[in-house]
Amino acid sequence: MTVCVDVRAERERLSRRYRLGRPLPDFVYSSDEDALWARVFGALSDMHEQLSCEHYQSAGRRVALPADRVPQLSEVSSTLGSLTGFELAPAMGALSGRLFFAPLADGILQSTPDVRPVTEQLFSPQPDVIHELVGHAVMLADPEFADMYRWFGRAAKHATSDDVSKAIGRLFWFTMEVGVVAEKGRPRACGAAILSSMTEMENMANAELREFRAEDVIACDIDDSVCQPVLFVADSVGHMMNEVRRFVRTLVSAD
């Protein structure tokens, strides 16, 4: 897949110029990029039927991402706004720490409009528009997940030590990125990094599955350049959310 350097440069220019409250810009995608989206989205959709949690599947039906082209951030943001009040804002590249977390408190997910290289269609270590929309945006159409994203944003804003910020980041990683819940006696994905990667979804069968306890989660290392070898399985989405709320309250009040 060949993408003109000028197209990528224009996406970066539009993203850097964007200011909250203004209409989202439209981004140009090539026919090759639309074809990549269609190929990956089709394969993931088939896998989601068997391996994703019910909350995600229900949210996916409400968002109804197009199967044949890369969606515009603006159209998905409009849908999310009507469902849970969340909105998307363009940002190129990976964001870390408060740059990513703080806007979540206000219902804003910063999302890259760029498309992963064709060589990374099965697994992309960097966020791309497939990760942002198939993963995070669909999750944000679910009221419980949307509330949890806001909770992480508020918690990160109140953290005043590096240790607490790191713990919050790890909790986010093992819930909103590589989260897993048990449904009908089997593990089901509920995290954006798994839900947007064919390799990650296949890897669930090989990963070491541990009981979800927040104290154990924050002691586990993260390497986002490879498939996560250890996953923490919560009894349900509600159990995961209650456990995270409890522990984050403890972290922030003790900070």
Side-chain angles (χ1 to χ4, degrees), residues 23 87 149 214 223 250:
E87 61 182 286
Y149 276 82
D223 183 355
T250 302

Side-chain angles (χ1 to χ4, degrees), residues 149-253:
Y149 276 82
R150 288 188 176 93
W151 181 262
F152 273 111
R154 291 192 294 268
K157 277 187 173 183
H158 286 91
T160 58
S161 74
D162 290 341
D163 286 344
V164 170
S165 295
K166 181 183 291 186
I168 291 170
R170 287 186 176 183
L171 279 173
F172 184 90
W173 175 255
F174 284 105
T175 52
M176 304 294 95
E177 294 288 3
V178 295
V180 179
V181 296
E183 288 182 354
K184 299 178 180 179
R186 298 178 63 185
R188 294 288 185 269
C190 67
I194 298 179
L195 293 162
S196 60
S197 168
M198 287 177 272
T199 301
E200 287 275 20
M201 297 203 73
E202 291 173 346
N203 183 66
M204 284 176 57
N206 302 314
E208 178 186 346
L209 302 179
R210 299 179 184 175
E211 180 183 352
F212 186 91
R213 290 193 295 264
E215 291 84 355
D216 295 336
V217 167
I218 68 169
C220 193
D221 291 332
I222 295 171
D223 183 355
D224 59 8
S225 67
V226 298
C227 289
Q228 187 65 42
V230 175
L231 299 173
F232 293 90
V233 185
D235 293 339
S236 65
V237 171
H239 169 249
M240 176 185 285
M241 301 310 163
N242 289 335
E243 178 74 357
V244 170
R245 284 189 181 96
R246 175 193 66 80
F247 198 71
V248 168
R249 285 193 185 105
T250 302
L251 284 174
V252 174
S253 63

Side-chain angles (χ1 to χ4, degrees), residues 52-53 55-60 62-63 65 76 80 83-84 86 109 131-149 152 172-180 189-196 237 240-241:
S52 68
C53 72
H55 276 252
Y56 178 82
Q57 291 185 30
S58 178
R62 291 194 291 272
V63 176
L65 294 170
V76 180
L80 292 180
L83 292 171
T84 61
F86 249 89
L109 176 72
H131 173 80
E132 309 286 26
L133 300 186
V134 176
H136 289 300
V138 171
M139 292 175 68
L140 287 170
D142 178 87
E144 287 189 69
F145 282 133
D147 183 57
M148 205 64 222
Y149 276 82
F152 273 111
F172 184 90
W173 175 255
F174 284 105
T175 52
M176 304 294 95
E177 294 288 3
V178 295
V180 179
C190 67
I194 298 179
L195 293 162
S196 60
V237 171
M240 176 185 285
M241 301 310 163

